[in-house]
């Protein structure tokens, strides 16, 4: 087992130092709520009279979620310990900080800890008279039920949900309208990943699982949760064929529909590989006469230093959704 | 020695497939010049009547350079084979493609192959009556002369040069004005890196050098060129102290000046570590009462899958330079 080799100070200081570094690097977008690891827009004026949009979860998925805080996207993000849900009081602090009297909408990834803590914070807010609604994102089609999860996991598609809801909120959508939009879009977002190596949580000091030097695992989660099959590494186009066939089973990809594509590096995967993977995805979709109308390639929902990649397909069932994806934002990472 | 484990098809197809994947993922910004690995803005109208700005070099540094092609930044980028200069005919094709009669300015990283090939392309263009000027970027202060280099190497600071010149060109600066700006800014840009592991060139199949599991190397280049010292890995704040002291020797950091800061991941370094490093840089600068007026943290000038980080300090000797850094752009990666 390899020693941990990381640019950190001490494992227990990872989250506070990281959040501090991020916020102080980008004061034009972000500020920290005192005595929390929650981050809100520094451009408070852009939230005036609008529904607040709050997300968050365990750290280790940078730039998610704090990198998506800013005008046109999230109002706040709450950063838990690495791979650990933030506590209800921190989430509640974020809800209060962004509440403008129009209510607050929560984007929660489907992990037991996150769901429990966000809903506890929701209860606290409602007792204070703040209207709160939520969506629980479960876009990972790889496996049902997993470590920390009942049902499917919430992964990279969450970033598309942030984008959609952020644009709608910025355009003045009500709390109910955001809920309707989120529920309508969610089943059209499907993600699946392949891992070449596991993440090393700093406090643990060794990778979450071991793969042989020539081995990959399909369907791995963003916390090193097990996937559905291990095999020898294959050329990119065969990885694409496998992952896309799984999405096709769920989405029934069809040239009469419009699609957005998100290709996501897991933290240690060079853009070189991500662009090659994208080349193969676009070729494979072209065989079905599909050309995505929107594509993003890069590190959006990472798993610390995992080598691997995820593929998200979002069927744009409504024209408005494409406008939301293209809506201008002011964030660190979109 | 570990086996190469990459999401690719075959090593010789890496560059064409990567460029194709990038361009087809982002048709709103990029298009490829037929029969080349050169990429130009798809928004040709934004170049009208302006000096063209062309950069490029070996591939393996993604998103550099093609990710910085777009309105307000580069007009074109030429992608060589991995860690290998593009050929003069490809560079010449890019110069011709962006020439609007106002001349073309070249941003060249200081490597013998790049300098030779870009200058050969310049000669070809000049014989065709296209006025061409250039800057050779050599911002890496770690070592004098190196593999492939006479003098200092051109590294992450090149991206700041793209940004500066791109903003000025978009505002209508002449070829001479761009040259003056580039020459004036260059000595104020200093970069230095630390590596935790080396890059693996796909055609080579093994890392460019070996470091022990607990070892780092200061001053490594973006093609795995040797640095100036190896030692046991240290806490982030000690890495920062070492690198910043080297920059201080050159720049004489001083609270009466304004600085921009670029913290750059080398490809396999998670943002978690980059933000912690940033936290430590900002703290160390604060000891000198310096708060940078502009900061960027992320993967800008990578070295394939190297784990490591570089620190660039840019002294903003003119107020205009900060405006250039903040000038809006439409690119994949800025």
């Amino acid at each position: 087992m390899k020693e941990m080799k990381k640019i950190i100070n001490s494992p227990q200081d990872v989250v506070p130092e990281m959040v501090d570094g991020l916020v102080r690097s980008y004061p034009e977008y972000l500020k920290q709520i005192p005595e929390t690891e929650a981050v809100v827009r520094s451009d408070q004026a852009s939230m005036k009279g609008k529904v607040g949009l709050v997300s968050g979860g365990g750290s280790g998925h940078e730039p998610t979620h704090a990198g998506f805080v800013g005008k046109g996207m999230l109002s706040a993000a709450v950063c838990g310990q690495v791979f650990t849900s933030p506590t209800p009081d921190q989430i509640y602090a974020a809800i209060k900080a962004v509440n403008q009297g129009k209510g607050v909408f929560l984007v929660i990834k489907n992990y037991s800890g996150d769901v429990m803590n966000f809903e506890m914070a929701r209860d606290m807010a409602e007792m204070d008279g703040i209207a709160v609604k939520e969506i629980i994102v479960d876009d990972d089609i790889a496996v049902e039920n997993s470590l920390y999860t009942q049902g499917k996991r919430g992964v990279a598609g969450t970033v598309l949900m942030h984008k959609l809801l952020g644009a709608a909120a910025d355009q003045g959508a009500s709390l109910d309208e955001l809920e309707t939009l989120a529920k309508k879009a969610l089943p059209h977002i499907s993600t699946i990943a392949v891992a070449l190596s596991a993440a090393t949580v700093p406090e643990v000091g060794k990778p979450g699982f071991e793969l042989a030097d020539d081995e990959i695992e399909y369907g791995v989660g963003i916390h090193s949760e097990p996937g559905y099959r291990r095999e020898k590494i294959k050329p990119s186009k065969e990885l694409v064929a496998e992952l896309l066939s799984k999405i096709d089973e769920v989405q029934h990809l069809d040239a009469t529909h419009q699609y957005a594509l998100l290709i996501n590096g897991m933290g240690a995967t060079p853009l070189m590989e991500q662009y090659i993977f994208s080349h193969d995805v676009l070729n494979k979709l072209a065989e079905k006469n599909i050309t995505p109308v929107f594509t993003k390639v890069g590190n959006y929902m990472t798993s610390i230093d995992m080598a691997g990649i995820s593929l998200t397909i979002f069927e744009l069932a409504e024209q408005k959704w494409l406008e939301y994806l293209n809506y201008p934002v002011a964030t660190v990472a979109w």
Side-chain angles (χ1 to χ4, degrees), chain A:
Chain A
M1 187 82 67
K2 240 180 82 179
E3 277 282 314
M4 177 169 75
K5 199 178 199 179
K6 288 183 187 291
I7 301 171
I8 61 172
N9 292 298
S10 77
Q12 66 270 23
D13 294 333
V14 158
V15 173
E17 291 185 355
M18 173 177 77
V19 172
D20 177 81
L22 173 62
V23 171
R24 284 165 66 199
S25 294
Y26 294 101
E28 66 274 37
Y29 300 126
L30 304 175
K31 63 181 191 187
Q32 198 167 350
I33 304 177
E35 287 164 61
T36 72
E37 305 302 345
V39 167
V40 295
R41 282 185 209 178
S42 50
D43 172 19
Q44 297 270 326
S46 70
M47 303 197 295
K48 237 190 174 62
K50 291 170 188 165
V51 174
L53 190 62
V54 174
S55 192
S59 290
H61 309 301
E62 297 66 38
T64 289
H65 300 273
F68 302 115
V69 170
K71 179 167 164 53
M73 224 164 154
L74 297 178
S75 316
V78 196
C79 308
Q81 284 303 305
V82 178
F83 289 2
T84 304
S85 173
T87 53
D89 58 305
Q90 299 230 343
I91 302 165
Y92 176 51
I95 293 173
K96 275 200 300 191
V98 305
N99 175 41
Q100 303 280 323
K102 304 287 178 177
V104 174
F105 195 81
L106 306 179
V107 183
I108 309 169
K109 298 198 299 307
N110 188 31
Y111 299 98
S112 312
D114 284 333
V115 172
M116 190 175 71
N117 289 351
F118 273 83
E119 293 191 341
M120 225 180 280
R122 174 183 172 159
D123 290 345
M124 292 160 79
E126 284 174 341
M127 281 192 285
D128 273 359
I130 303 174
V132 179
K133 287 180 175 277
E134 67 184 35
I135 184 79
I136 297 174
V137 181
D138 61 349
D139 58 311
D140 188 343
I141 60 160
V143 289
E144 280 288 329
N145 305 324
S146 181
L147 242 48
Y148 330 116
T149 319
Q150 295 296 315
K152 296 181 293 157
R153 301 171 300 218
V155 290
T158 311
V159 177
L160 299 179
M161 189 60 86
H162 294 341
K163 185 67 178 73
L164 224 58
L165 296 172
D170 200 57
Q171 292 177 27
S174 70
L175 194 57
D176 286 337
E177 286 166 343
L178 290 181
E179 186 186 36
T180 302
L181 170 62
K183 283 188 170 164
K184 215 163 174 183
L186 183 60
H188 296 288
I189 304 176
S190 302
T191 300
I192 188 164
V194 60
L196 281 63
S197 75
T200 296
V201 174
E203 297 245 24
V204 177
K206 58 190 176 66
F209 57 85
E210 285 285 315
L211 285 171
D213 277 359
D214 61 352
E215 207 179 28
I216 57 163
E217 183 165 334
Y218 294 113
V220 166
I222 56 173
H223 311 95
S224 300
E225 301 98 321
Y228 63 85
R229 194 167 82 236
R230 282 187 184 198
E231 58 185 32
K232 299 259 181 219
I233 186 156
K234 293 194 152 44
S236 167
K237 63 180 71 150
E238 294 181 37
L239 302 179
V240 164
E242 168 71 22
L243 299 183
L244 209 48
S245 75
K246 291 284 179 188
I247 289 180
D248 200 18
E249 283 172 22
V250 177
Q251 291 225 4
H252 312 292
L253 302 169
D254 177 326
T256 65
H257 297 145
Q258 285 201 318
Y259 296 96
L261 174 62
L262 173 64
I263 289 167
N264 172 58
M266 304 301 283
T269 303
L271 282 171
M272 170 187 280
E273 295 174 41
Q274 297 183 41
Y275 294 143
I276 290 171
F277 186 87
S278 172
H279 158 89
D280 290 321
V281 171
L282 293 169
N283 279 353
K284 198 76 194 166
L285 288 172
E287 289 175 12
K288 291 180 185 282
N289 295 312
I290 295 170
T291 305
V293 292
F294 178 94
T295 301
K296 278 275 209 188
V297 187
N299 298 331
Y300 294 95
M301 176 72 76
T302 63
S303 179
I304 315 180
D305 54 351
M306 179 186 278
I309 204 161
S310 73
L311 170 62
T312 302
I313 302 270
F314 176 21
E315 189 208 324
L316 301 170
E318 300 195 9
Q319 188 58 34
K320 191 82 190 151
W321 297 355
L322 179 58
E323 290 167 33
Y324 289 150
L325 289 177
N326 285 316
Y327 189 76
V329 298
T331 67
V332 172
W334 175 252

